[in-house]
Amino acid sequence: MTIQKVIAEIEKLIAISQAEDFDNVGLLCGLPERNVSGILVCHDALENVVEEAIQKNCNLIVCFHPIIFSGLKSLTGKNYVERAVLKAIENKIAIYAIHTAFDNDYFGVNAGICNLLGLQNLKILQPKKNNLKQLNVYVPRDYSENLKEALFSAGAGNIGFYDECSFITEGKGTFRPNEGSNPFSGQKNIRENAEEEMISVIFESYKQNQIVAAMKSAHPYEEVAHQIYTLDNENQYSGLGMYGELETEMDEKDFLNFVKEKFKLNIIKHSDLNNKKIKRVGVLGGSGASGIRSAFSKKCDAYLTGDLKYHDYFLAESKMLICDIGHYESEQLVSQQLFEILSQKFSTFAVLKSSEKTNPVNYFL
């Protein structure tokens, strides 16, 4: 199987198009037409990880953080990024990064954190906006079912944990074929009436091209009457962060000890203790200061993330416990999650998890 085909299968499971605009995800280096000898899953594709891939005969590295984030103007090995990329290129190893595509995935980074904490009734903390569209397309009644199947196969009609969702309105359409037309039915220069159905489906915006192509391919008409609208609805199943509820509420200190035990932490930075019970908990893996206000608005009793600054802790307003457990620490489950996903998908070649340390932060205790 080629690298390109492997990536296509990965993106059926974790849509790369749901990544944030600022991110640099996808195939970062390597030739897509090469056959895959093995996959190495890691957190950061550093030089020691590339060396590990060489030793384990893996020519595709699937990493969480993109090793190339800002543009490279040269490749001379003058820093850790260039050394890793050069080593990969010289040894014909491809690097594929998934980052915020997995952050925004309902079953991704933050779901892993919630599952570790045993949270229930999970919801997205910051649902994606301007992410949903609606397609209305008109089709002869006898061709309605075939067109629906084509739209569903292209990814339309998925709403949360339901798929093949649509709404149909019956009606009568009119058209008049003019000179130069090649009508499916009727005669030129004569107005025709047609018994038609309007099929309405919702889809994520990144699927638009494939859905429109499927619609046109399956539709019998030469000119397909359709409209596409951007919806104000937030996508409740895609976005940054999650929140849920503990099975049993805890005192603040008990909660902090619980988090330390679950994440195997030596230290947690947190805001003032307020003698409150902790029941609803918000999480956002990585740098999550942007989620504090969202957690506050969702009435979370505690919020877990990483990379907080001095003034971020003031946002607790003595009403919410804000916890910084560390950037890497909050994402430590990612490699195992990706390893399990890819291991189940690919059985014709080895899928391995890196054993190399890539966390750059150390603590002197």
Side-chain angles (χ1 to χ4, degrees), residues 16-37:
I16 206 73
S17 303
Q18 63 187 346
E20 296 296 304
D21 292 338
F22 66 80
D23 208 0
N24 188 34
V25 292
L27 186 62
L28 303 184
C29 70
L31 297 178
E33 63 269 19
R34 282 202 179 111
N35 286 323
V36 174
S37 60

Side-chain angles (χ1 to χ4, degrees), residues 134-145 147-148 151 167-175 184 194-201 215-216 218-229:
Q134 179 174 317
L135 166 68
N136 294 337
V137 55
Y138 303 86
V139 61
R141 189 174 297 161
D142 291 343
Y143 290 81
S144 177
E145 197 61 34
L147 183 56
K148 276 196 300 181
L151 293 173
F167 190 83
I168 291 179
T169 304
E170 295 184 352
K172 183 175 289 187
T174 65
F175 62 92
F184 168 74
E195 298 293 330
E196 294 182 331
E197 292 182 346
M198 184 187 77
I199 301 173
S200 180
V201 288
M215 175 194 72
K216 291 182 177 179
H219 204 289
Y221 285 177
E222 181 180 27
E223 297 290 344
V224 182
H226 69 285
Q227 302 92 33
I228 294 176
Y229 306 96

Side-chain angles (χ1 to χ4, degrees), residues 248-310:
T248 305
E249 65 180 17
M250 299 182 184
D251 293 328
E252 290 167 315
K253 288 185 178 180
D254 289 338
F255 175 74
L256 290 171
N257 281 320
F258 171 71
V259 172
K260 283 181 69 175
E261 178 187 349
K262 288 293 184 180
F263 286 87
K264 297 179 172 56
L265 306 173
N266 293 315
I267 187 171
I268 299 177
K269 295 162 63 180
H270 62 84
S271 58
D272 289 339
L273 299 181
N274 300 299
N275 240 355
K276 285 190 62 178
K277 297 290 186 181
I278 305 298
K279 177 70 172 179
R280 179 171 291 182
V281 180
V283 307
L284 204 169
S287 301
S290 63
I292 294 175
R293 286 187 170 86
S294 295
F296 202 84
S297 69
K298 300 295 192 301
K299 302 188 185 316
C300 291
D301 304 307
Y303 177 63
L304 267 61
T305 188
D307 290 347
L308 297 181
K309 297 180 180 179
Y310 177 86

Side-chain angles (χ1 to χ4, degrees), residues 180-215:
S181 65
N182 184 26
F184 168 74
S185 62
Q187 300 179 39
K188 292 182 180 180
N189 301 314
I190 297 176
R191 186 173 66 201
E192 300 289 340
N193 295 308
E195 298 293 330
E196 294 182 331
E197 292 182 346
M198 184 187 77
I199 301 173
S200 180
V201 288
I202 291 175
F203 61 92
E204 296 94 344
S205 57
Y206 65 84
K207 297 178 181 177
Q208 180 167 330
N209 289 342
Q210 67 199 49
I211 288 171
V212 170
M215 175 194 72

Side-chain angles (χ1 to χ4, degrees), residues 7-8 17 20 28 53 83 86 88 113 135 142 163 186 246 326 339:
I7 289 173
S17 303
E20 296 296 304
L28 303 184
R83 288 193 295 273
L86 271 175
I113 298 173
L135 166 68
D142 291 343
D163 62 8
L246 295 165
F339 170 72

Side-chain angles (χ1 to χ4, degrees), residues 42-53 61 63 65 67 80-81 83-85 87-88 95 356-360:
C42 69
H43 203 87
D44 299 278
L46 304 181
E47 190 176 6
N48 60 331
V49 174
V50 178
E51 180 61 37
E52 182 183 14
I61 295 175
C63 56
H65 289 144
I67 185 66
Y80 78 97
V81 173
R83 288 193 295 273
V85 175
K87 195 176 195 71
I95 299 177
E356 292 292 315
K357 176 185 179 297
T358 60
N359 183 9

